[in-house]
Each structure stands twice: as C-alpha cells, then as structure tokens.
Amino acid sequence: MGPHRILLLEGIHQIAVETLEKAGYEVQRELTAFSNSELIDKINDFDAIGIRSKTHISKDVFEACTNVKAVGCFCIGTNQVDLVAGNQFGVPVFNAPYSNTRSVAELVISLMVSLSRKIFDRSKKAHEGVWDKSAAGSNEVRGKTLGIIGYGHIGTQLSILAESMGLNVQYYDVIKKLPLGNANSVDGLNDLLATSDFVSLHVPETDQTKNMIGAEQISKMKAGSYLINASRGSVVDIPALAEAIKSKHLAGAAVDVYPKEPKSNKESFSSELQGLENVILTPHIGGSTEEAQYNIGIEVATSFIGYLSKGQSVGATNFPNIDVPVNDSGHRLVNIHRNVPGVLGEINGIVSKYGANINRQFLSTDNSVGYLIIDLDVKDSQSLKSDVVALPTSIRTRLLS
Ligand code: NAI
C-alpha cells in the first residue's frame, strides 16, 4: 500500500500541504472548486478530499467515490456537504470550528476602542478634509465594564484580552460557566444589559437567540453604552438598533454580521444602519485573518492524519467520535458498520476464529452507524479483514499497522 493521497481544492493554505507531507502523505493542491461531475470523475483516486465553502459534496459523490475515506471542510461551516450521506457511507466530515476564535476576539477589542474614540467617523472626516479634534465624548476603555453574552470559545478569549486592558468583565450564559480571571457571571440578561458600558454578543444562532436583542432589551442598556455584534446576524433586531442610535440612547454600535448578507463580494450590501453616527459596519470579517486560515490548515490536516493513520475520529461532525491512543504493536482493525444489534458479537466471533488476541477495543455509535476499533495480534490479518468486510452490516473496513 502506497502513501495516503490527499486532494486539496479551493486554494487551501499551504501549511495544510506541509503538515500532510510531513506525515508522509502525497498531496495534490488545486486553486479552484470542483463541480459535481468533476468530483465524481477525479477524486476517487484519493483517500481524503479537502474543500472550503464553494465545493458541494452531495450524496451521489459519496456513492460514487468509495475510495474517499474522509472529507475536510477547511473552514467553519459544513453546509456544503451532505453530512447525512457522509455518515451513511461511513465518511467522517471534519472542520475547524474554533480556529478563528482569537481573530474575532481581537476584532471586538479594536471595535470597543474605535467606538469609544469615534475613530471611524473622525477618520472619515479627516479623509474629507475636516479637522475634528476634541476630547468630548471620547473615553479610554480602561475601567469600563464589558458585558459578554455567550461565554464560549470567543466570549472567554475576549474576556481575558479585555481584562488585560483594564476592563471589568461580566458575562451571561445559559450554561453555568467557570469565570476566567476576574470575570463575574451575572444571573440574568437584564442585569448585564443595565450595568455594562459595552455589550458584546457571542452566542450561536438558535431559536432562543433569534432577535434576543430587540427594542425591549436595548431600552434596558445603559444610556450612552455601545452594542457589538460579531456573532450571527439574526441575534439583533436591526431596526430597533438603528432607532436606539438615532435617538442617541446608544452612543454607537459595531456590527459584523447581518440578517441578510451578500453571497459574494460581487453583490452589493444594504442595511438600515448605513450612514448612522458612530456605527461601524464590517463585512463579516470577524474570523477572516491569515492566522485563522493557517490554523484551519493545520487543524483539518491533523484530523486527516489522525483518522487515516490512527482511526481517530475526534472532531468529525457527522460521525461517532473516538479518540484512540497510538497502536504500537500488532494490527488495528477499523470498521464502520450499520448500527444494528449483534454486529459486535459477529466481529468478535471472526476475531476468535483467527485466534487473534485483542489488546484494546473501542466502540462508539450514533443512530445509524457504529464505529469500531480493535487493536489485535493476529497472523493472517488480511483474511480476518476480508471476513469482516464480507459481513452484510459492514460499511467500510480498514487495517492499519
Ligand atoms: P461557542 O459555542 O464556543 O459559545 C457560544 C456560547 O453561547 C456558549 O457558551 C453557549 O452556552 C452560549 N449560549 C447559547 N445560547 C445562549 C443564550 N440564549 N443566551 C446566552 N448564552 C447562550 O461559540 P463561539 O465559537 O464562541 O462562537 C460564538 C458566535 O460567534 C457563533 O454565533 C459563531 O457563529 C460566531 N462567529 C462569528 C465569526 C465572525 O466572523 N464574525 C467567526 C466565528 C464565529
């Protein structure tokens, strides 16, 4: 068996190539996306395929490309892949959901300072030849209170950065979270809104977070405070925010995400927030940095190596997750099967038929598939594997040494 072959599409960061090559893999990197028919024609020679957001992997691709063992979305979202079909055909789909955490947190820090000093409005005036030098209404962020809604990956990272600049940090989360540094958890959203100079949103898009900041919540915010949303566009009621800026209840806002966003840089963008005083609008760039792309490249490439060489499926979005130690002796049998009663017994029966000694065994299941890893010592490993492959419940079986 030759080295694992990986196809990377859509100009995935070069660090992914380096990471895979260092592990002894062969890599082909293309700059463009592939169409459905190109995928079916060209990818079955590869063990894994890496894509970004423009390549769509549908059920017929999984059906046709049975040699492809893993798909990597070198981005955050996985909507471009039929995850259910991947699961059904025993193909884990990996992504890198937290590689851009730091990038978002840094953007929010810069937005707080920019809002507090009205930097964007003043810069615009300076570009237009207007000299607007004044300290009135400009403040340091030091000593102010930042209220973070959603104390997850980004919220906690922001918490640490903000504290190091002298802000007092409080947060509200639906789950009880350990406060980092000197941050304080507040019991209710209203408490946070009423006592924060900056409110920054870091919640996911769910039914509960849809318009969670509307006219009523904004009215509870401190007069002269600032709202920042770099989470999801559906979380803030934009007309209500526009109204609060016009009435000067809020001293400013920064928005990176919108209920309706252009699909590409070719489409134009419009928002009720355009032209309002001290409102910073950015085109969903919270996570868009070279560093995030680099981190994504390493993270997904490492997931490929973990899965193809060791059977580790941790981080797979559509597949039972197993984190296994390295197998330093014997063989590792990796089997994906339909999750029906009796499979484990049948496979163990085959193992004992060959007189194999099981060193370790791991099983994890979801509703439709089971993922089984067995480390064993056996003489005729190929015949044992063939017997497992022949089971009607087996979807995919590999032998790693
Ligand atoms: P995460 O899943 O680590 O954290 C989300 C936190 O929100 C969790 O602690 C959760 O318990 C909490 N939460 C959920 N529902 C809540 C509610 N109703 N009220 C209060 N707290 C609630 O997510 P992460 O990675 O921190 O991302 C946060 C948001 O940032 C997501 O919406 C994500 O899509 C967005 N994002 C935006 C980017 C950009 O480019 N602007 C880039 C990356 C992420």
Side-chain angles (χ1 to χ4, degrees), residues 98 100 104 149-155 172-175 177 202-205 208-209 212 230-232 256-257 284-287:
Y98 305 118
N100 57 12
V104 181
I149 303 176
Y151 204 59
H153 287 80
I154 297 171
Y172 165 72
D173 199 294
V174 278
I175 295 174
K177 294 281 176 103
H202 300 287
V203 290
E205 182 173 59
Q208 288 73 43
T209 61
M212 80 182 284
S231 62
R232 280 292 174 258
D256 187 46
V257 288
H284 202 149
I285 50 162

Side-chain angles (χ1 to χ4, degrees), residues 65-92:
C65 304
T66 50
N67 186 53
V68 174
K69 299 164 189 70
V71 169
C73 298
F74 285 71
C75 51
I76 311 299
T78 51
N79 295 346
Q80 67 280 38
V81 181
D82 185 336
L83 297 177
V84 175
N87 172 285
Q88 203 183 325
F89 286 93
V91 182

Side-chain angles (χ1 to χ4, degrees), residues 138-267:
S138 281
N139 297 99
E140 293 182 354
V141 296
R142 178 173 53 170
K144 305 298 181 298
T145 298
L146 164 64
I148 298 174
I149 303 176
Y151 204 59
H153 287 80
I154 297 171
T156 49
Q157 180 81 217
L158 172 63
S159 173
I160 298 290
L161 295 181
E163 267 195 11
S164 68
M165 292 177 69
L167 284 118
N168 305 310
V169 177
Q170 54 184 9
Y171 66 89
Y172 165 72
D173 199 294
V174 278
I175 295 174
K176 193 156 178 51
K177 294 281 176 103
L178 179 76
L180 299 188
N182 300 313
N184 286 310
S185 151
V186 295
D187 288 338
L189 178 60
N190 288 344
D191 287 349
L192 179 134
L193 295 172
T195 54
S196 300
D197 300 297
F198 297 91
V199 171
S200 192
L201 289 154
H202 300 287
V203 290
E205 182 173 59
T206 64
D207 288 346
Q208 288 73 43
T209 61
K210 190 169 166 50
N211 282 334
M212 80 182 284
I213 303 296
E216 192 191 330
Q217 290 72 27
I218 292 173
S219 72
K220 294 194 167 116
M221 288 175 67
K222 271 172 91 168
S225 62
Y226 302 94
L227 181 70
I228 300 171
N229 184 19
S231 62
R232 280 292 174 258
S234 57
V235 176
V236 174
D237 177 353
I238 296 289
L241 175 59
E243 207 38 59
I245 298 285
K246 285 181 203 158
S247 71
K248 300 208 182 300
H249 173 56
L250 295 188
V255 180
D256 187 46
V257 288
Y258 307 87
K260 200 167 172 287
E261 296 181 3
K263 289 203 175 54
S264 75
N265 287 352
K266 288 183 191 132
E267 278 181 32

Side-chain angles (χ1 to χ4, degrees), residues 37 54 99 232 253 270 282:
S37 57
K54 293 198 180 80
S99 294
R232 280 292 174 258
S270 75
T282 46

Side-chain angles (χ1 to χ4, degrees), residues 302-343:
T302 305
S303 296
F304 277 166
I305 297 165
Y307 183 69
L308 294 173
S309 296
K310 300 176 201 136
Q312 287 167 346
S313 59
V314 176
T317 54
N318 63 336
F319 198 78
N321 277 214
I322 296 187
D323 189 4
V324 274
V326 175
N327 182 31
D328 37 26
S329 69
H331 292 92
R332 173 166 286 177
L333 183 81
V334 173
N335 168 265
I336 302 159
H337 54 262
R338 285 195 292 112
N339 185 12
V340 292
V343 178

Side-chain angles (χ1 to χ4, degrees), residues 107-155:
L107 180 75
V108 174
I109 291 286
S110 79
L111 292 171
M112 283 196 292
V113 176
S114 301
L115 287 170
S116 211
R117 305 288 291 273
K118 304 184 176 21
I119 288 175
F120 280 69
D121 287 2
R122 284 186 164 142
S123 167
K124 185 163 175 281
K125 282 185 187 165
H127 276 282
E128 290 161 355
V130 178
W131 194 249
D132 182 15
K133 180 176 161 70
S134 150
S138 281
N139 297 99
E140 293 182 354
V141 296
R142 178 173 53 170
K144 305 298 181 298
T145 298
L146 164 64
I148 298 174
I149 303 176
Y151 204 59
H153 287 80
I154 297 171

